[in-house]
Amino acid sequence: MLSVIIPVRGGPRLLAEQLEALTRQSVAEPWEVIVADDSDPGDDAIARVVAGFEGRLPGLRRVPAGARGAAHARNVGAAEARGDKIAFLDADDVAGDGWVAGMAAALERHPVVASRWEFTRLNSPEVLTSRTPAQLRGPQRYVRPPYLDHAGGCGLGVRREAFEAVGGFDESWTLLEDTDLTWRLQLAGYELGFAPEAVVHIRFRSGLASFRQAYGYGVYNVRLYKEYRSRGMPPLGPREALWSLYRMFKTLPELLRPETRLRYLRTLGFRLGRFAGSLRYGVWGV
């Protein structure tokens, strides 16, 4: 049995779009949908959305997650799940037709599975120019410094025994808890596979929200570096950081061009985040 878990905080309209996509799935084996509601106490917007889909999705139920973050919400959903296979979706993205069946089949072949991501459906051409698409042909490569492949939490599938063996998501991570989980799973001996037939349409953030997200990713990439150096991650030296700074100043005119401004701001946010993370975690991770 496959359990689909959707952590959500706010965004009831987007959750409804995701749930509607799941009603179009055709699946041979039993499955269920669990919405892990990370809303503040007294906010019943998500509860109303879930109630509107009763009878349209198998085993659909909402579980309160206590407003403690996405990692905690995913763990709450996993603890509630009845399936031996667990798959995670984000509320602001959209599962492609056949995603549930594709994920269920892939988890028969691999203990951990990354979905294939698609980006044109939910993003404007302007937003698309600001990002580099990932998970198109396989799990994401980690390159700074080179380390294990990883997968995003939206569309991630994992067998229950593997998930429980490593303790699930580490709830101390506000961001990149999915990277941390897929690395811990691989270090524990579980292969990270890829399911090209299990497609998720990803919605990018734009503007200031994209800058803040990139900044946070930069900070938490330094935490990854600090925690995984003792587990085989190569060291970073100052040369890479100096080269990065040089490129940021050299490409500063891109900030003035509308067609490159969003990409430059996102890159700037990420680099500033790595500097801030180096200060926070007391390690050179730029």
Side-chain angles (χ1 to χ4, degrees):
M1 180 178 184
L2 178 73
S3 298
V4 177
I5 297 167
I6 307 174
V8 59
R9 178 178 176 84
R13 180 184 63 81
L14 296 180
L15 173 64
E17 187 177 356
Q18 180 67 281
L19 293 177
E20 188 66 40
L22 291 176
T23 67
R24 298 191 292 269
Q25 305 288 312
S26 177
V27 190
E29 70 175 77
W31 64 294
E32 63 179 357
V33 179
I34 300 168
V35 175
D37 189 353
D38 194 44
S39 302
D40 293 321
D43 184 348
D44 61 354
I46 299 303
R48 291 196 301 270
V49 171
V50 174
F53 283 86
E54 287 183 4
R56 301 182 63 196
L57 286 168
L60 174 65
R61 57 198 184 277
R62 167 192 164 272
V63 294
R68 293 171 54 186
H72 176 74
R74 291 190 181 105
N75 285 340
V76 168
E80 177 75 14
R82 296 192 292 260
D84 58 337
K85 293 177 282 189
I86 301 171
F88 299 94
L89 286 171
D90 287 348
D92 56 350
D93 300 315
V94 174
D97 294 344
W99 177 81
V100 174
M103 183 56 62
L107 284 169
E108 293 290 336
R109 304 189 300 267
H110 309 284
V112 190
V113 176
S115 292
R116 178 164 65 89
W117 285 354
E118 189 282 328
F119 302 93
T120 60
R121 174 172 164 177
L122 300 179
N123 300 287
S124 68
E126 180 187 27
V127 171
L128 286 173
T129 62
S130 71
R131 302 288 292 271
T132 301
Q135 273 184 228
L136 297 174
R137 298 176 182 83
Q140 299 179 49
R141 304 295 301 274
Y142 196 86
V143 297
R144 190 173 176 83
Y147 195 54
L148 299 171
D149 289 352
H150 61 110
C154 184
L156 178 67
V158 58
R159 294 177 191 164
R160 175 181 291 279
E161 57 91 9
F163 186 79
E164 293 180 347
V166 300
F169 287 95
D170 184 336
E171 297 177 12
S172 69
W173 291 77
T174 304
L175 293 169
L176 301 187
E177 70 278 1
D178 41 16
T179 300
D180 171 69
L181 175 65
T182 53
W183 283 359
R184 285 188 288 113
L185 284 162
Q186 290 175 86
L187 291 172
Y190 297 102
E191 173 202 12
L192 175 59
F194 182 65
E197 69 278 18
V199 177
V200 180
H201 304 284
I202 300 297
R203 193 187 314 269
F204 284 143
R205 299 180 188 181
S206 61
L208 185 58
S210 178
F211 177 87
R212 288 197 299 261
Q213 183 187 55
Y215 179 88
Y217 284 166
V219 170
Y220 275 86
N221 266 275
V222 179
R223 180 177 173 184
L224 286 171
Y225 177 63
K226 181 175 183 178
E227 296 200 7
Y228 283 89
R229 285 187 306 166
S230 62
R231 289 178 267 187
M233 179 178 277
L236 285 170
R239 179 179 298 178
E240 292 86 355
L242 292 173
W243 175 248
S244 177
L245 283 174
Y246 169 75
R247 289 193 61 195
M248 287 299 301
F249 283 112
K250 183 179 179 180
T251 58
L252 187 60
E254 293 182 2
L255 187 60
L256 304 177
R257 296 197 293 269
E259 66 273 18
T260 56
R261 183 179 299 132
L262 290 178
R263 177 176 287 274
Y264 184 88
L265 286 173
R266 186 167 179 88
T267 302
L268 177 63
F270 183 75
R271 296 304 178 200
L272 291 175
R274 292 199 78 138
F275 275 106
S278 295
L279 295 174
R280 177 186 297 186
Y281 296 113
V283 62
W284 182 264
V286 177

